[in-house]
Amino acid sequence: MTEQSRTGAAPRGPRLLRARRALRALGIVLVCALLAAGLIRAVGVQSFGIPSASMEPTLPVGGTVTVWRPDALADSVDRGDVVVFDGRGSFIASAPPSGAEQLGSWFGVGPRDVYYVKRILAVGGDTLECCDAEGRLLLNGEPLEEPYVPHGMRASDTDFAIEVPAGRVWMMGDNRADSTDSRALLGGPGGGMIPVDRILGTVIGHGSAVDSVIG
């Protein structure tokens, strides 16, 4: 009679082999899940928390937003879009993100406090000026109607007149009295215009999870 017959137990070797196979399968599943989540962030959607009042009343403090990546990947962002972008090299006084750092941000890898949310008001080829007698911005010489700005608020307390070069955009927060945006960079490199390739995507709604915090 064998040892297995006397004890009713399977040999130790096969049990260890099955355990190793199960762990290997679990590891493969976990890696695939992480890759899928990264791919979704890179080319699909990301979510961000909002700690500041710069976009009120459109986006309240403490809320979350869902960002749609394909618009940025297809270079199809336009005037009026609310977007999340990487502020390094513009809103943040540091070197612009390297190619590897930008790629990492798409996958949710890297610092979490370098992102901002603002509204695009002018794109390459546009002129934008503040302000007419009624306190409105002039986009290509025409008054810009902005229903998202709080009622009675002047479009900007800072006077400016700019022309946006190709490949860049001019951004401002909806809460014009409490927003650090392109106006604060008028004297800096780029004159307040943000490179289009720093945009992560357009805001399409409220999210349920927070990957990063935006200003």
Side-chain angles (χ1 to χ4, degrees):
M1 181 179 293
T2 65
E3 182 68 21
Q4 180 179 358
S5 300
R6 290 196 300 270
T7 62
R12 184 180 179 186
R15 290 203 305 271
L16 288 175
L17 182 61
R18 286 195 296 270
R20 290 194 188 100
R21 287 174 178 171
L23 288 174
R24 187 180 301 117
L26 179 60
I28 292 172
V29 169
L30 289 175
V31 169
C32 289
L34 289 172
L35 289 174
L39 186 62
I40 289 172
R41 283 195 297 268
V43 301
V45 295
Q46 294 185 37
S47 58
F48 296 85
I50 305 171
S52 77
S54 68
M55 283 298 294
E56 286 188 331
T58 307
L59 301 176
V61 177
T64 61
V65 292
T66 300
V67 171
W68 180 241
R69 287 279 297 133
D71 285 344
L73 294 172
D75 196 19
S76 62
V77 295
D78 205 351
R79 301 183 205 95
D81 288 343
V82 177
V83 299
V84 170
F85 63 98
D86 191 323
R88 286 174 287 187
S90 56
F91 282 44
I92 298 174
S94 67
S98 65
E101 287 172 331
Q102 280 194 275
L103 182 63
S105 69
W106 296 350
F107 285 89
V109 177
R112 306 291 177 137
D113 56 353
V114 299
Y115 306 118
Y116 290 78
V117 58
K118 305 294 175 189
R119 187 182 298 274
I120 297 175
L121 294 188
V123 298
D126 286 340
T127 61
L128 191 66
E129 182 179 353
C130 174
C131 286
D132 67 7
E134 297 181 29
R136 297 173 297 182
L137 297 177
L138 295 172
L139 176 65
N140 300 322
E142 297 294 329
L144 180 63
E145 298 299 331
E146 299 187 274
Y148 41 79
V149 173
H151 180 70
M153 180 178 290
R154 192 172 188 266
S156 175
D157 291 332
T158 302
D159 292 330
F160 62 87
I162 55 98
E163 182 175 353
V164 184
R168 292 182 175 255
V169 294
W170 176 273
M171 302 188 193
M172 294 170 68
D174 289 355
N175 186 0
R176 301 294 160 76
D178 189 15
S179 174
T180 300
D181 48 42
S182 289
R183 295 170 294 173
L185 305 174
L186 281 167
M193 273 68 79
I194 309 301
V196 172
D197 63 8
R198 306 281 171 77
I199 297 175
L200 270 69
T202 54
V203 172
I204 58 173
H206 292 279
S208 58
V210 178
D211 290 335
S212 305
V213 175
I214 48 183

